Amino acid sequence: MSTTQDRRSVILDNAAHLFAAKGIGATTVREIADSVGILSGSLYHHFKSKDEMVDAIISDYLTDLTDRYAKVLASGENPATQLRELVTSSLANIEAHPHATEIYQNSSTYLPTIEGYEHIRESATSIQRAWIQVLEAGIASGDFRNDIPVRVLHGMLRDSLWLSVRWFKPTRSYSMATFADDLVSVYLDGILARD
């Protein structure tokens, strides 16, 4: 990897941390430059704008997620297994891109304003389609309940999963894998006590 690519990665890592902590709008180019020990004007040798950094961070995150989902859908497993794999894949993506996850979840009004937003929207649509496809297949097979509209069910599942980035932090005694298993168990089995 070249020095330019290394520097670019360091800039993106630091920018992602700042965007997640402070918000995109509240983070200045100067703060990003200071965090990597360069002059703010030097950032423009690597990125033409702050929005280009945001786009790069979110694009990597969404590409990774859509690739994970494509593998789940191609597996040919039953809907309950695919639902479990979507959850597991999502949480793995949160672990791989914690700052990007927070940025994406917290910046729904900012992201549509950046140049190149179209590909972000297309990725988001693809992600939603994956969930809807699995839920509809589960309803059609009789594995999932059919008394809740699919889009409502998707919204409930989506928010409980993706917003967990705000409060759930894995520990040695309660790992991300355990969280994934418990989340899927609540989705599929509910919270009623088991016999």
Side-chain angles (χ1 to χ4, degrees):
M1 184 181 290
S2 74
T3 304
T4 300
Q5 288 172 319
D6 289 342
R7 176 63 75 179
R8 187 176 164 92
S9 294
V10 169
I11 292 168
L12 287 177
D13 288 345
N14 282 273
H17 175 76
L18 289 166
F19 294 152
K22 297 182 66 173
I24 299 167
T27 303
T28 66
V29 170
R30 175 176 288 240
E31 288 172 312
I32 297 167
D34 288 348
S35 74
V36 293
I38 61 175
L39 298 173
S40 55
S42 298
L43 277 180
Y44 297 108
H45 294 291
H46 303 280
F47 298 96
K48 65 181 179 182
S49 67
K50 180 170 71 169
D51 285 353
E52 186 179 6
M53 288 180 245
V54 173
D55 182 51
I57 292 162
I58 297 300
S59 293
D60 287 349
Y61 161 75
L62 291 175
T63 297
D64 191 10
L65 187 60
T66 55
D67 289 349
R68 290 173 193 265
Y69 280 13
K71 290 176 186 170
V72 170
L73 296 178
S75 72
E77 296 287 347
N78 64 59
T81 300
Q82 286 189 332
L83 180 68
R84 182 178 306 281
E85 290 174 358
L86 286 177
V87 169
T88 303
S89 295
S90 299
L91 292 173
N93 210 55
I94 288 172
E95 272 192 314
H97 306 275
H99 298 309
T101 303
E102 286 192 61
I103 295 164
Y104 187 72
Q105 296 306 316
N106 295 334
S107 305
S108 60
T109 57
Y110 188 94
L111 292 176
T113 68
I114 68 173
E115 185 179 328
Y117 174 70
E118 183 63 31
H119 74 89
I120 293 173
R121 187 176 61 191
E122 288 170 5
S123 294
T125 300
S126 172
I127 290 163
Q128 181 181 23
R129 269 196 311 263
W131 283 92
I132 299 294
Q133 179 181 330
V134 169
L135 292 171
E136 287 179 341
I139 291 168
S141 69
D143 292 332
F144 301 159
R145 57 192 292 180
N146 65 3
D147 60 326
I148 300 173
V150 171
R151 297 223 179 258
V152 172
L153 186 56
H154 167 254
M156 287 190 266
L157 299 174
R158 177 199 62 220
D159 287 353
S160 65
L161 174 65
W162 290 107
L163 296 180
S164 69
V165 72
R166 295 181 180 167
W167 60 268
F168 176 71
K169 303 297 179 222
T171 64
R172 285 184 184 199
S173 62
Y174 195 83
S175 68
M176 188 66 88
T178 302
F179 180 64
D181 289 343
D182 287 346
L183 199 58
V184 171
S185 176
V186 169
Y187 287 168
L188 298 179
D189 305 326
I191 61 170
L192 296 177
R194 298 176 180 177
D195 294 331

